[in-house]
Amino acid sequence: MDLSFARLERGIAITALPVDLAVLLAGASARQAASTTARVQATVTMVRVSDGLLSPRHGSFHPVVAEALRPPGNPPVEG
């Protein structure tokens, strides 16, 4: 199976997958994703993300850039 990006190469005809093959591949990937093994593996590899990582006290991911982008006349938010 050639997975290269044909759109980047000039002079190559683009061929679509036959509908039956596309349906077969979609069904196989759906069954594989819903399998018991896939569900168990997903819970085993799940990592708990710290709440502070996604909501920092200062309200931005980069406080220096947030201060540079703050419109004039708006006070900084203290947290």
Side-chain angles (χ1 to χ4, degrees):
M1 180 183 292
D2 183 15
L3 298 177
S4 62
F5 293 100
R7 69 175 187 268
L8 299 177
E9 299 172 7
R10 304 287 183 224
I12 294 178
I14 297 175
T15 306
L17 288 176
V19 175
D20 293 341
L21 178 59
V23 170
L24 176 69
L25 291 175
S29 64
R31 284 190 301 276
Q32 185 177 9
S35 70
T36 305
T37 306
R39 288 184 283 140
V40 168
Q41 185 65 30
T43 59
V44 167
T45 59
M46 196 179 320
V47 177
R48 172 110 171 112
V49 176
S50 171
D51 291 336
L53 179 65
L54 300 176
S55 58
R57 289 183 186 205
H58 47 74
S60 68
F61 292 106
H62 198 293
V64 176
V65 173
E67 182 62 26
L69 295 174
R70 186 174 52 83
N74 288 353
V77 177
E78 298 295 327

